[in-house]
Amino acid sequence: MKRQHLAGLLLGLVCSSSTIAAPMLWVTEPFHPYSYKENGKVAGPFADIVQAACDRLKVECTMEIFPWRRALRMAEEGQVSGLFGVAKTPEREKAFYLSEPILDTAYSFFAPVSSQFSYQRVEDLNGYTVGVYGPSATSKALENVAQGKTNIVIEVANLTAIKKLIGGRYGDKALVLVNREVGLSLLKEEKITNLKLVGDLQKIQFTIGLSRKKVSEQQAIQFNNAVKALIKEGKVKAILEKHGMRPAKPARQ
């Protein structure tokens, strides 16, 4: 009986080790500095981390970049294995098995350098026009807290909102809301020196999401265990530091 029990355990281990042996297709959006194309391939910290997890599991993984709405739809409908980076929100948890938090960031306000605005509370937005890319998690976060006295303008791209702010298209009392690292990256890339960071609307965490319609719970557990191991070994931290970012702070026990 003991030998049969041991044989059964070994068989179970063999089966579980090959749970996600099939190739995986991952999608993301052009979201510099998190995800972008470099030498024809998807690059950035999330691509590096996903590839490291795939290598650990000996799974063939390919990655593609699409506009956000298309990438999200493909992942939600189970056309692909997963999506990165995904904001950790209740809405996303319904569609995805989310990994451990990878990094901390925020939805942040930017204003002209001449502005005296400093965000402290929601009431500070009264009378302001805020440009924001959307529909997106960023625009939804703003819509969830902004009162009727705030004019929200949805734009097709973060850079569009930034350029309209610089050009005075939103009026004298105006801001843009954008992911902090994305905003800082755009200011650097576009050599924009007349905007500044003026506060965070909301802290957020980015994760890696596996499609609930494509990937089984057991497959998700196996992949996310690989990510946990990379975090524990300090490999995620090393990848993020290479890209000038810091890992998510461990959750309080």
Side-chain angles (χ1 to χ4, degrees):
M1 290 297 291
K2 288 184 178 180
R3 289 182 179 179
Q4 290 177 341
H5 179 65
L6 179 59
L9 287 175
L10 290 173
L11 178 60
L13 289 171
V14 170
C15 292
S16 65
S17 67
S18 58
T19 302
I20 53 174
M24 301 182 78
L25 173 58
W26 297 85
V27 292
T28 187
E29 65 173 324
F31 196 44
H32 198 279
Y34 300 112
S35 300
Y36 49 91
K37 276 288 186 75
E38 187 174 77
N39 299 322
K41 295 183 178 181
V42 181
F46 281 105
D48 290 350
I49 293 167
V50 167
Q51 189 60 59
C54 291
D55 291 344
R56 191 181 194 94
L57 296 169
K58 296 181 172 55
V59 175
E60 179 185 346
C61 290
T62 55
M63 306 174 202
E64 296 292 343
I65 284 183
F66 295 102
W68 172 248
R69 294 177 199 175
R70 182 179 175 187
L72 179 61
R73 184 178 68 253
M74 292 172 72
E76 287 178 335
E77 294 177 355
Q79 298 175 30
V80 297
S81 303
L83 175 74
F84 58 88
V86 182
K88 187 176 181 180
T89 65
E91 181 182 16
R92 295 291 182 253
E93 287 181 315
K94 292 179 182 178
F96 300 99
Y97 298 106
L98 299 182
S99 72
E100 292 289 300
I102 301 299
L103 58 84
D104 294 329
T105 183
Y107 301 135
S108 301
F109 291 107
F110 288 79
V113 293
S114 59
S115 174
Q116 300 300 311
F117 182 88
S118 176
Y119 182 77
Q120 303 294 329
R121 55 183 184 172
V122 175
E123 289 77 14
D124 294 337
L125 300 176
N126 290 348
Y128 275 81
T129 294
V130 183
V132 58
Y133 162 67
S136 65
T138 314
S139 64
K140 288 180 181 178
L142 179 61
E143 290 166 351
N144 287 339
V145 301
Q147 301 173 354
K149 296 179 182 180
T150 304
N151 180 32
I152 301 174
V153 181
I154 303 296
E155 301 290 3
V156 297
N158 288 310
L159 187 57
T160 301
I162 287 173
K163 287 186 173 180
K164 284 188 176 182
L165 178 63
I166 293 171
R169 299 277 296 279
Y170 298 141
D172 295 333
K173 298 182 66 175
L175 308 162
V176 293
L177 182 68
V178 61
N179 174 278
R180 183 201 299 143
E181 278 68 36
V182 171
L184 294 173
S185 177
L186 285 171
L187 297 189
K188 182 177 180 180
E189 288 177 11
E190 300 293 323
K191 297 181 172 57
I192 296 171
T193 59
N194 55 351
L195 293 185
K196 62 181 180 180
L197 180 66
V198 292
D200 297 333
L201 173 68
Q202 178 181 320
K203 304 289 186 182
I204 57 170
Q205 293 182 318
F206 277 149
T207 68
I208 298 165
L210 293 100
S211 172
R212 289 183 179 270
K213 289 191 176 181
K214 180 70 173 180
V215 176
S216 70
E217 184 176 2
Q218 181 58 39
Q219 290 172 324
I221 290 172
Q222 190 175 359
F223 184 87
N224 288 334
N225 281 342
V227 174
K228 288 180 182 178
L230 293 171
I231 293 173
K232 185 177 181 180
E233 294 166 4
K235 294 180 179 178
V236 167
K237 181 175 184 289
I239 289 171
L240 292 173
E241 288 179 345
K242 183 182 73 173
H243 291 275
M245 300 180 192
R246 293 180 293 179
K249 295 180 181 178
R252 293 182 179 178
Q253 300 298 320

